[in-house]
Amino acid sequence: MELTVLSDGHFMKEALREAQRAFEKDEVPVGAVITCKNRIIARAHNLTETLNDVTAHAEMQAITAAADFIGGKYLKDCTLYVTLEPCVMCAGALQWSQVGKVVFGAWDEKRGCSTVGQLYHPKTIVKGGVLETECGDLLRAFFQKKRKL
Amino acid sequence: MELTVLSDGHFMKEALREAQRAFEKDEVPVGAVITCKNRIIARAHNLTETLNDVTAHAEMQAITAAADFIGGKYLKDCTLYVTLEPCVMCAGALQWSQVGKVVFGAWDEKRGCSTVGQLYHPKTIVKGGVLETECGDLLRAFFQKKRKL
């Protein structure tokens, strides 16, 4: 059987579907999926308002769910796809998880972890700007809607 | 009725009791409590091994529990007491929570957030080294026990 290796864009679209779910719940629209061997093992979206909990970022929930799926806390063979650049908290969690790769969509010039420095695990591969426009457009639409209210 | 204002040492002893509980579960012994108006509203200890989850630090659980108790995600009027200096992930979460004050025991020269920079909310008051020896002794005893196994 031939294995089709799916692209980063493919999985980012799945993260975007999660972000859309956050948008529909009136949450800042950020979504994430975690893959292992070309397969999605965790998906989540921002729930900070719904849960009244600043720690309920998409990435944090996805890390917890992926570790639960794997049955171990290290995600060395996994890739996290997230529609917005991770913040300091999420980058710190990703460092502990030793995640293999982080792929994000839009850059976060205010709260993105790269504004602070290199916070990921030294072995983690990081790639930003995948479907940047689509990911950013959803965020811009959300904040525009908020300002109109 | 006269209100007795309890000291930072008093609440750090409570955080140490939580750390002791972690020790007994063979977890890296870090404990935390969150207070609001001189009263403990959340307590937690490290559960990363038990839950197979790198995000299950004492501080993270305490933040979630305190926000749940308050019914809001901001902890401006709260103080977090934790036996070890918060890591990058926990400092990031504390920044989002806008916690009023952070008091920690032992410094973490390797993974403490101060090795990276100033990550807390600019209005958060930070105090380190409260019951530093007691907090550090428990950690040292844990790692000494681990090395002997």
Side-chain angles (χ1 to χ4, degrees), chain A residues 49 53 64 73 95 111, chain B residues 49 53 64 73 95 111:
Chain A
E49 296 302 322
D53 185 352
T64 300
K73 63 193 173 114
Q95 184 191 40
R111 306 296 294 259
Chain B
E49 297 302 322
D53 186 350
T64 300
K73 63 193 173 115
Q95 183 192 41
R111 306 295 295 256

Side-chain angles (χ1 to χ4, degrees), chain A residues 48-49 52-55 57 60 63-64 67-68 71-74 87-89 91-93 95-97 111 116 119, chain B residues 48-49 52-55 57 60 63-64 67-68 71-74 87-89 91-93 95-97 111 116 119:
Chain A
T48 47
E49 296 302 322
N52 248 335
D53 185 352
V54 296
T55 75
H57 282 191
M60 302 298 282
I63 291 167
T64 300
D68 189 50
K73 63 193 173 114
Y74 297 117
C87 73
V88 167
M89 170 181 72
Q95 184 191 40
W96 285 116
S97 79
R111 306 296 294 259
V116 172
L119 300 182
Chain B
T48 48
E49 297 302 322
N52 249 335
D53 186 350
V54 295
T55 76
H57 282 192
M60 301 299 281
I63 290 167
T64 300
D68 189 50
K73 63 193 173 115
Y74 298 116
C87 72
V88 167
M89 169 181 73
Q95 183 192 41
W96 285 116
S97 79
R111 306 295 295 256
V116 171
L119 300 182

Side-chain angles (χ1 to χ4, degrees), chain A residues 54-55 111, chain B residues 32-37 39 41-42 58-60 62-67 70 72-82 86-87 89-104 113 118-127:
Chain A
V54 296
T55 75
R111 306 296 294 259
Chain B
V33 299
I34 292 180
T35 64
C36 187
K37 292 173 188 159
R39 177 183 164 202
I41 62 165
E59 301 95 311
M60 301 299 281
I63 290 167
T64 300
I70 286 175
K73 63 193 173 115
Y74 298 116
L75 307 177
K76 292 181 189 185
D77 297 326
C78 299
T79 299
L80 170 90
Y81 293 87
V82 58
C87 72
M89 169 181 73
C90 293
L94 289 163
Q95 183 192 41
W96 285 116
S97 79
Q98 301 182 23
V99 71
K101 189 175 169 186
V102 172
V103 181
F104 65 87
C113 62
Q118 207 297 86
L119 300 182
Y120 300 105
H121 191 274
K123 286 191 179 165
T124 300
I125 298 162
V126 184
K127 182 175 170 184

Side-chain angles (χ1 to χ4, degrees), chain A residues 119-132:
Chain A
L119 300 182
Y120 301 105
H121 191 275
K123 286 192 180 165
T124 300
I125 298 162
V126 184
K127 183 175 169 183
V130 173
L131 300 189
E132 185 176 359

Side-chain angles (χ1 to χ4, degrees), chain B residues 2 8 19 23 33 46 53 58 69 101-102 105 114 118 120 123 135 138 141:
Chain B
E2 209 178 321
D8 286 341
F23 188 95
V33 299
N46 178 35
D53 186 350
F69 180 87
K101 189 175 169 186
V102 172
S114 63
Q118 207 297 86
Y120 300 105
K123 286 191 179 165
C135 294
L138 190 61

Side-chain angles (χ1 to χ4, degrees), chain B residues 2-8 11 38:
Chain B
E2 209 178 321
L3 185 74
T4 311
V5 176
L6 297 165
S7 69
D8 286 341
F11 290 119
N38 216 28

